[in-house]
Amino acid sequence: MSGYFGVLVSDPWLQNQFTQVELRSLKTHFMSMKREGGGRLTVGELASKMSRLKVVGENLTEEERASFIQDLYRNVDEDVDFESFLRVYLTLQAPASARTGSNAKNSSAFLKAATTTLLHTISESEKASYVKHINNYLEQDDFLKRYLPIDPSTNDLFEIAKDGVLLCKLINLAVPGTIDERAINTKRVLNPWERNENHTLCLNSAKAIGCTVVNIGTQDFIEGRRHLMLGLISQIIKIQLLADLNLKKTPQLVELVEDSKEVEELMSLSPEKILLRWMNFQLKKAGYKKIVTNFSSDVKDGEAYAHLLNVLAPEHSNPSALSAKDPLERAKLVLEHADRMGCKRYLTAKDIVEGSPNLNLAFVAHIFQHRNGLSTKTKQISFLETLPDDTQVSREERAFRLWMNSLGNSTYINNVFEDLRNGWLLLETLDKVSPGIVNWKIANKPPIKMPFRKVENCNQVVKIGKQLKFSLVNIAGNDIVQGSKKLILAYLWQLMRYSILQLLKNLRFHSHGKEIADADILEWANTKVSSNSRSQSRMDSFKDKSLSNGLFFLELLSSVQPRAVNWSLVTKGVTDEEKKMNATYIISIARKLGCSIFLLPEDITEVNQKMILTLTASIMYWFLKQPLEDRPSGSSDSESGSQSETISNSTIDDSASESSIEENVTM
């Protein structure tokens, strides 16, 4: 073990889950527990001893902790090492945090954390709701129609989802075009290898649309872990339902604001917050005095829904809904109103009264999709026309945001220009990319009220950037606090690039400490492609315009895994349409192999130098991680610096659910 985490934890995945401060604190607790047991700590003792840990101790009973631990380890007499202790802590932290966050203030924060995907119990109401959604949207799919409709009262959903096809189709439903369906293995009976490829493609694509999959691996699909599969399905469906909650898709949302400054603020909000803002906008019209702040306690009495539907569809209103004394009766009348206006809804009156945050959010999103009650006003649309439409900035912001979210930071990032301004999430990301580099003693944790505290955080961000040899001419901490788009993007690009170069350095030159440069990646890619006797492709630089047809990357993918590319599906890449088809195929094939990448097809067809570099580096990283015996025959280990001598032999336990999170092949 080496580096800052050498004496604490060697598993790279676990390194990504904690800051140095958190690891030291947990190490102290762990050692204390061992000392109490005479130098030994067993699985059977964990449920009791972990009561002293704040979150898991205060929010879970000892019986609940024991039940979760039993799912992980059957042998209660087994000794627990520190890494096993951390895995147990993460498993307990999810349901404990969910219980902490079940209050009104936090109940709508579905997309902000991975907790929803980790609960070991599943909600039958949510399962039934999502099954109905899948039946409604995918029943006519050519491949899936033989399995659909699924019976919501059974667990057939999890059996059908085991081969990964349903989840891939669901991702494409949420964000069309994410997965090139030519890359999905869709035979009636898949072998374990083909099934694993679908799972890998699904997980990397889920990350690419904004799902939190930090604690989900391909093994979880193989074993049919229902709580994890349902959590991922629910995230994908939420993304689909909230897809129109932005000004690009629904410009009528400008009706919610008064001036151009508020438009920019609206653009920075998460889809959930925009949905709440829209709901309160409509409720104000109805004379409803309360402010709805969440999709749980604030809507469980049904009054807000009754007023909302009366404003949006007065022709279907029932006066009894407002006068009803019993919340359950009112909820039933609300749902009848929704049915009369033709609104899809998959929740029950009981779900409303019980305040199910996920199902209530889905219900409101369905209402918005069906009838938003907004009108386009010329004055307000003019605000949009004055805003800069920089497609390149938008794509880069998206890539950096998704990459940072994939690292498992404490807070989900909705907009890098707004959410990074206090510096905290940048410090967290720096600590994950270069463990131990952040001085947490002088860092200020949110919420931060005093502006100068934010500047202090961002000053440390800039200082660390200079330490890592980033080009930061004329960049100061205050530029980040002020939300300077150009400077924030410049910093994030260098941070992302540094991350992948460090991964390559640690993998290939572990014993030599040699720095990796862009030129090394370029040379490696050309060497791999030229090793294919039939190939004449070459990449002169990462901005080589000939790359736009995608053929070079298809050759590269074929060289690292000959069975990866089905050449009968490849176009000549002459027309724009052919180029895009190749680009989407490249991205899906790379994800299918195990590359976690966040670029779009346009980044290939337009030859975005930054994204081309990260794509190449990610493929290189994936290839060099493969055991020598699994590489294509003829692969030379002397291509670039005696790789065979320096590849790290670190392994990851495939039996754990975290096993395929590797998969922070972080581009």
Side-chain angles (χ1 to χ4, degrees), residues 546-568:
S546 69
L547 298 173
S548 66
N549 63 20
L551 296 178
F552 178 86
F553 288 108
L554 289 165
E555 293 279 8
L556 179 60
L557 288 165
S558 182
S559 69
V560 299
Q561 177 50 267
R563 62 184 295 275
V565 179
N566 181 346
W567 286 99
S568 67

PDB file of all heavy atoms in Angstrom, residues 546-568:
ATOM      1  N   SER A 546     -10.061  14.291 -38.936  1.00  0.00           N
ATOM      2  CA  SER A 546     -10.407  13.006 -39.544  1.00  0.00           C
ATOM      3  C   SER A 546     -11.087  12.071 -38.549  1.00  0.00           C
ATOM      4  O   SER A 546     -11.694  11.066 -38.933  1.00  0.00           O
ATOM      5  CB  SER A 546      -9.149  12.324 -40.110  1.00  0.00           C
ATOM      6  OG  SER A 546      -8.293  11.900 -39.059  1.00  0.00           O
ATOM      7  N   LEU A 547     -11.010  12.411 -37.261  1.00  0.00           N
ATOM      8  CA  LEU A 547     -11.628  11.577 -36.234  1.00  0.00           C
ATOM      9  C   LEU A 547     -13.150  11.663 -36.262  1.00  0.00           C
ATOM     10  O   LEU A 547     -13.839  10.852 -35.647  1.00  0.00           O
ATOM     11  CB  LEU A 547     -11.130  11.999 -34.839  1.00  0.00           C
ATOM     12  CG  LEU A 547      -9.624  11.864 -34.572  1.00  0.00           C
ATOM     13  CD1 LEU A 547      -9.281  12.482 -33.230  1.00  0.00           C
ATOM     14  CD2 LEU A 547      -9.203  10.400 -34.612  1.00  0.00           C
ATOM     15  N   SER A 548     -13.677  12.647 -36.967  1.00  0.00           N
ATOM     16  CA  SER A 548     -15.121  12.895 -36.932  1.00  0.00           C
ATOM     17  C   SER A 548     -15.947  11.732 -37.468  1.00  0.00           C
ATOM     18  O   SER A 548     -17.112  11.578 -37.100  1.00  0.00           O
ATOM     19  CB  SER A 548     -15.461  14.167 -37.713  1.00  0.00           C
ATOM     20  OG  SER A 548     -15.190  13.991 -39.098  1.00  0.00           O
ATOM     21  N   ASN A 549     -15.350  10.891 -38.315  1.00  0.00           N
ATOM     22  CA  ASN A 549     -16.137   9.768 -38.851  1.00  0.00           C
ATOM     23  C   ASN A 549     -16.193   8.574 -37.895  1.00  0.00           C
ATOM     24  O   ASN A 549     -16.916   7.609 -38.134  1.00  0.00           O
ATOM     25  CB  ASN A 549     -15.611   9.325 -40.225  1.00  0.00           C
ATOM     26  CG  ASN A 549     -14.175   8.801 -40.168  1.00  0.00           C
ATOM     27  OD1 ASN A 549     -13.671   8.417 -39.123  1.00  0.00           O
ATOM     28  ND2 ASN A 549     -13.514   8.802 -41.329  1.00  0.00           N
ATOM     29  N   GLY A 550     -15.412   8.625 -36.817  1.00  0.00           N
ATOM     30  CA  GLY A 550     -15.474   7.594 -35.791  1.00  0.00           C
ATOM     31  C   GLY A 550     -14.697   6.328 -36.072  1.00  0.00           C
ATOM     32  O   GLY A 550     -14.567   5.468 -35.194  1.00  0.00           O
ATOM     33  N   LEU A 551     -14.163   6.179 -37.279  1.00  0.00           N
ATOM     34  CA  LEU A 551     -13.531   4.910 -37.649  1.00  0.00           C
ATOM     35  C   LEU A 551     -12.297   4.606 -36.817  1.00  0.00           C
ATOM     36  O   LEU A 551     -12.030   3.442 -36.491  1.00  0.00           O
ATOM     37  CB  LEU A 551     -13.188   4.917 -39.144  1.00  0.00           C
ATOM     38  CG  LEU A 551     -14.403   5.004 -40.081  1.00  0.00           C
ATOM     39  CD1 LEU A 551     -13.946   5.047 -41.544  1.00  0.00           C
ATOM     40  CD2 LEU A 551     -15.340   3.810 -39.849  1.00  0.00           C
ATOM     41  N   PHE A 552     -11.523   5.638 -36.463  1.00  0.00           N
ATOM     42  CA  PHE A 552     -10.324   5.400 -35.658  1.00  0.00           C
ATOM     43  C   PHE A 552     -10.694   4.769 -34.319  1.00  0.00           C
ATOM     44  O   PHE A 552     -10.065   3.802 -33.866  1.00  0.00           O
ATOM     45  CB  PHE A 552      -9.551   6.696 -35.427  1.00  0.00           C
ATOM     46  CG  PHE A 552      -8.322   6.525 -34.565  1.00  0.00           C
ATOM     47  CD1 PHE A 552      -7.112   6.149 -35.132  1.00  0.00           C
ATOM     48  CD2 PHE A 552      -8.380   6.701 -33.187  1.00  0.00           C
ATOM     49  CE1 PHE A 552      -5.975   5.964 -34.338  1.00  0.00           C
ATOM     50  CE2 PHE A 552      -7.259   6.521 -32.390  1.00  0.00           C
ATOM     51  CZ  PHE A 552      -6.056   6.149 -32.970  1.00  0.00           C
ATOM     52  N   PHE A 553     -11.723   5.298 -33.662  1.00  0.00           N
ATOM     53  CA  PHE A 553     -12.087   4.777 -32.341  1.00  0.00           C
ATOM     54  C   PHE A 553     -12.712   3.388 -32.426  1.00  0.00           C
ATOM     55  O   PHE A 553     -12.555   2.572 -31.516  1.00  0.00           O
ATOM     56  CB  PHE A 553     -13.014   5.760 -31.623  1.00  0.00           C
ATOM     57  CG  PHE A 553     -12.295   6.999 -31.167  1.00  0.00           C
ATOM     58  CD1 PHE A 553     -12.502   8.204 -31.809  1.00  0.00           C
ATOM     59  CD2 PHE A 553     -11.383   6.935 -30.131  1.00  0.00           C
ATOM     60  CE1 PHE A 553     -11.817   9.336 -31.410  1.00  0.00           C
ATOM     61  CE2 PHE A 553     -10.692   8.066 -29.717  1.00  0.00           C
ATOM     62  CZ  PHE A 553     -10.904   9.265 -30.366  1.00  0.00           C
ATOM     63  N   LEU A 554     -13.392   3.117 -33.514  1.00  0.00           N
ATOM     64  CA  LEU A 554     -13.907   1.767 -33.702  1.00  0.00           C
ATOM     65  C   LEU A 554     -12.753   0.781 -33.887  1.00  0.00           C
ATOM     66  O   LEU A 554     -12.782  -0.344 -33.367  1.00  0.00           O
ATOM     67  CB  LEU A 554     -14.861   1.733 -34.898  1.00  0.00           C
ATOM     68  CG  LEU A 554     -16.204   2.443 -34.653  1.00  0.00           C
ATOM     69  CD1 LEU A 554     -16.927   2.696 -35.965  1.00  0.00           C
ATOM     70  CD2 LEU A 554     -17.079   1.620 -33.709  1.00  0.00           C
ATOM     71  N   GLU A 555     -11.713   1.207 -34.611  1.00  0.00           N
ATOM     72  CA  GLU A 555     -10.507   0.377 -34.757  1.00  0.00           C
ATOM     73  C   GLU A 555      -9.828   0.194 -33.396  1.00  0.00           C
ATOM     74  O   GLU A 555      -9.357  -0.910 -33.070  1.00  0.00           O
ATOM     75  CB  GLU A 555      -9.526   1.047 -35.731  1.00  0.00           C
ATOM     76  CG  GLU A 555     -10.003   1.113 -37.171  1.00  0.00           C
ATOM     77  CD  GLU A 555      -9.780  -0.199 -37.922  1.00  0.00           C
ATOM     78  OE1 GLU A 555      -9.393  -1.186 -37.277  1.00  0.00           O
ATOM     79  OE2 GLU A 555      -9.998  -0.219 -39.147  1.00  0.00           O
ATOM     80  N   LEU A 556      -9.790   1.254 -32.618  1.00  0.00           N
ATOM     81  CA  LEU A 556      -9.149   1.178 -31.299  1.00  0.00           C
ATOM     82  C   LEU A 556      -9.905   0.215 -30.390  1.00  0.00           C
ATOM     83  O   LEU A 556      -9.299  -0.640 -29.724  1.00  0.00           O
ATOM     84  CB  LEU A 556      -9.086   2.576 -30.678  1.00  0.00           C
ATOM     85  CG  LEU A 556      -8.452   2.677 -29.279  1.00  0.00           C
ATOM     86  CD1 LEU A 556      -7.010   2.179 -29.301  1.00  0.00           C
ATOM     87  CD2 LEU A 556      -8.511   4.120 -28.763  1.00  0.00           C
ATOM     88  N   LEU A 557     -11.214   0.342 -30.359  1.00  0.00           N
ATOM     89  CA  LEU A 557     -12.023  -0.551 -29.527  1.00  0.00           C
ATOM     90  C   LEU A 557     -11.878  -2.002 -29.986  1.00  0.00           C
ATOM     91  O   LEU A 557     -11.814  -2.923 -29.167  1.00  0.00           O
ATOM     92  CB  LEU A 557     -13.490  -0.116 -29.573  1.00  0.00           C
ATOM     93  CG  LEU A 557     -13.819   1.176 -28.829  1.00  0.00           C
ATOM     94  CD1 LEU A 557     -15.190   1.703 -29.229  1.00  0.00           C
ATOM     95  CD2 LEU A 557     -13.758   0.956 -27.313  1.00  0.00           C
ATOM     96  N   SER A 558     -11.812  -2.206 -31.284  1.00  0.00           N
ATOM     97  CA  SER A 558     -11.648  -3.547 -31.825  1.00  0.00           C
ATOM     98  C   SER A 558     -10.284  -4.125 -31.477  1.00  0.00           C
ATOM     99  O   SER A 558     -10.138  -5.329 -31.251  1.00  0.00           O
ATOM    100  CB  SER A 558     -11.835  -3.519 -33.344  1.00  0.00           C
ATOM    101  OG  SER A 558     -11.722  -4.813 -33.897  1.00  0.00           O
ATOM    102  N   SER A 559      -9.283  -3.264 -31.404  1.00  0.00           N
ATOM    103  CA  SER A 559      -7.932  -3.748 -31.099  1.00  0.00           C
ATOM    104  C   SER A 559      -7.791  -4.152 -29.631  1.00  0.00           C
ATOM    105  O   SER A 559      -7.035  -5.065 -29.300  1.00  0.00           O
ATOM    106  CB  SER A 559      -6.888  -2.683 -31.464  1.00  0.00           C
ATOM    107  OG  SER A 559      -6.978  -1.569 -30.603  1.00  0.00           O
ATOM    108  N   VAL A 560      -8.518  -3.457 -28.731  1.00  0.00           N
ATOM    109  CA  VAL A 560      -8.410  -3.812 -27.309  1.00  0.00           C
ATOM    110  C   VAL A 560      -9.357  -4.958 -26.951  1.00  0.00           C
ATOM    111  O   VAL A 560      -9.141  -5.662 -25.963  1.00  0.00           O
ATOM    112  CB  VAL A 560      -8.682  -2.598 -26.393  1.00  0.00           C
ATOM    113  CG1 VAL A 560      -7.665  -1.497 -26.646  1.00  0.00           C
ATOM    114  CG2 VAL A 560     -10.098  -2.068 -26.534  1.00  0.00           C
ATOM    115  N   GLN A 561     -10.428  -5.135 -27.744  1.00  0.00           N
ATOM    116  CA  GLN A 561     -11.352  -6.243 -27.535  1.00  0.00           C
ATOM    117  C   GLN A 561     -11.969  -6.602 -28.885  1.00  0.00           C
ATOM    118  O   GLN A 561     -12.945  -5.999 -29.327  1.00  0.00           O
ATOM    119  CB  GLN A 561     -12.449  -5.858 -26.530  1.00  0.00           C
ATOM    120  CG  GLN A 561     -13.515  -6.913 -26.298  1.00  0.00           C
ATOM    121  CD  GLN A 561     -12.946  -8.291 -26.002  1.00  0.00           C
ATOM    122  OE1 GLN A 561     -12.767  -9.097 -26.924  1.00  0.00           O
ATOM    123  NE2 GLN A 561     -12.630  -8.551 -24.732  1.00  0.00           N
ATOM    124  N   PRO A 562     -11.375  -7.573 -29.582  1.00  0.00           N
ATOM    125  CA  PRO A 562     -11.781  -7.899 -30.959  1.00  0.00           C
ATOM    126  C   PRO A 562     -13.274  -8.183 -31.133  1.00  0.00           C
ATOM    127  O   PRO A 562     -13.836  -7.893 -32.183  1.00  0.00           O
ATOM    128  CB  PRO A 562     -10.940  -9.139 -31.282  1.00  0.00           C
ATOM    129  CG  PRO A 562      -9.735  -9.006 -30.411  1.00  0.00           C
ATOM    130  CD  PRO A 562     -10.215  -8.376 -29.146  1.00  0.00           C
ATOM    131  N   ARG A 563     -13.926  -8.733 -30.118  1.00  0.00           N
ATOM    132  CA  ARG A 563     -15.334  -9.073 -30.263  1.00  0.00           C
ATOM    133  C   ARG A 563     -16.259  -7.886 -29.960  1.00  0.00           C
ATOM    134  O   ARG A 563     -17.478  -8.014 -30.038  1.00  0.00           O
ATOM    135  CB  ARG A 563     -15.699 -10.245 -29.354  1.00  0.00           C
ATOM    136  CG  ARG A 563     -15.511  -9.973 -27.872  1.00  0.00           C
ATOM    137  CD  ARG A 563     -15.804 -11.217 -27.037  1.00  0.00           C
ATOM    138  NE  ARG A 563     -17.189 -11.612 -27.135  1.00  0.00           N
ATOM    139  CZ  ARG A 563     -18.163 -11.104 -26.384  1.00  0.00           C
ATOM    140  NH1 ARG A 563     -17.888 -10.154 -25.501  1.00  0.00           N
ATOM    141  NH2 ARG A 563     -19.401 -11.526 -26.519  1.00  0.00           N
ATOM    142  N   ALA A 564     -15.683  -6.731 -29.607  1.00  0.00           N
ATOM    143  CA  ALA A 564     -16.500  -5.599 -29.168  1.00  0.00           C
ATOM    144  C   ALA A 564     -17.296  -4.969 -30.302  1.00  0.00           C
ATOM    145  O   ALA A 564     -18.428  -4.535 -30.109  1.00  0.00           O
ATOM    146  CB  ALA A 564     -15.617  -4.533 -28.509  1.00  0.00           C
ATOM    147  N   VAL A 565     -16.701  -4.892 -31.483  1.00  0.00           N
ATOM    148  CA  VAL A 565     -17.315  -4.167 -32.598  1.00  0.00           C
ATOM    149  C   VAL A 565     -17.906  -5.129 -33.614  1.00  0.00           C
ATOM    150  O   VAL A 565     -17.220  -6.033 -34.089  1.00  0.00           O
ATOM    151  CB  VAL A 565     -16.291  -3.248 -33.291  1.00  0.00           C
ATOM    152  CG1 VAL A 565     -16.933  -2.516 -34.474  1.00  0.00           C
ATOM    153  CG2 VAL A 565     -15.702  -2.246 -32.296  1.00  0.00           C
ATOM    154  N   ASN A 566     -19.165  -4.912 -33.933  1.00  0.00           N
ATOM    155  CA  ASN A 566     -19.806  -5.653 -35.019  1.00  0.00           C
ATOM    156  C   ASN A 566     -19.674  -4.788 -36.270  1.00  0.00           C
ATOM    157  O   ASN A 566     -20.414  -3.823 -36.455  1.00  0.00           O
ATOM    158  CB  ASN A 566     -21.276  -5.912 -34.688  1.00  0.00           C
ATOM    159  CG  ASN A 566     -21.996  -6.699 -35.776  1.00  0.00           C
ATOM    160  OD1 ASN A 566     -21.492  -6.843 -36.899  1.00  0.00           O
ATOM    161  ND2 ASN A 566     -23.178  -7.198 -35.468  1.00  0.00           N
ATOM    162  N   TRP A 567     -18.722  -5.128 -37.120  1.00  0.00           N
ATOM    163  CA  TRP A 567     -18.388  -4.257 -38.249  1.00  0.00           C
ATOM    164  C   TRP A 567     -19.509  -4.168 -39.278  1.00  0.00           C
ATOM    165  O   TRP A 567     -19.539  -3.229 -40.075  1.00  0.00           O
ATOM    166  CB  TRP A 567     -17.090  -4.737 -38.913  1.00  0.00           C
ATOM    167  CG  TRP A 567     -15.900  -4.407 -38.056  1.00  0.00           C
ATOM    168  CD1 TRP A 567     -15.239  -5.229 -37.208  1.00  0.00           C
ATOM    169  CD2 TRP A 567     -15.274  -3.123 -37.929  1.00  0.00           C
ATOM    170  NE1 TRP A 567     -14.232  -4.560 -36.556  1.00  0.00           N
ATOM    171  CE2 TRP A 567     -14.224  -3.267 -36.986  1.00  0.00           C
ATOM    172  CE3 TRP A 567     -15.489  -1.878 -38.523  1.00  0.00           C
ATOM    173  CZ2 TRP A 567     -13.404  -2.199 -36.626  1.00  0.00           C
ATOM    174  CZ3 TRP A 567     -14.663  -0.816 -38.165  1.00  0.00           C
ATOM    175  CH2 TRP A 567     -13.639  -0.984 -37.226  1.00  0.00           C
ATOM    176  N   SER A 568     -20.450  -5.085 -39.228  1.00  0.00           N
ATOM    177  CA  SER A 568     -21.572  -4.990 -40.164  1.00  0.00           C
ATOM    178  C   SER A 568     -22.496  -3.830 -39.809  1.00  0.00           C
ATOM    179  O   SER A 568     -23.331  -3.419 -40.617  1.00  0.00           O
ATOM    180  CB  SER A 568     -22.374  -6.305 -40.159  1.00  0.00           C
ATOM    181  OG  SER A 568     -23.028  -6.493 -38.913  1.00  0.00           O
TER     182      SER A 568
END
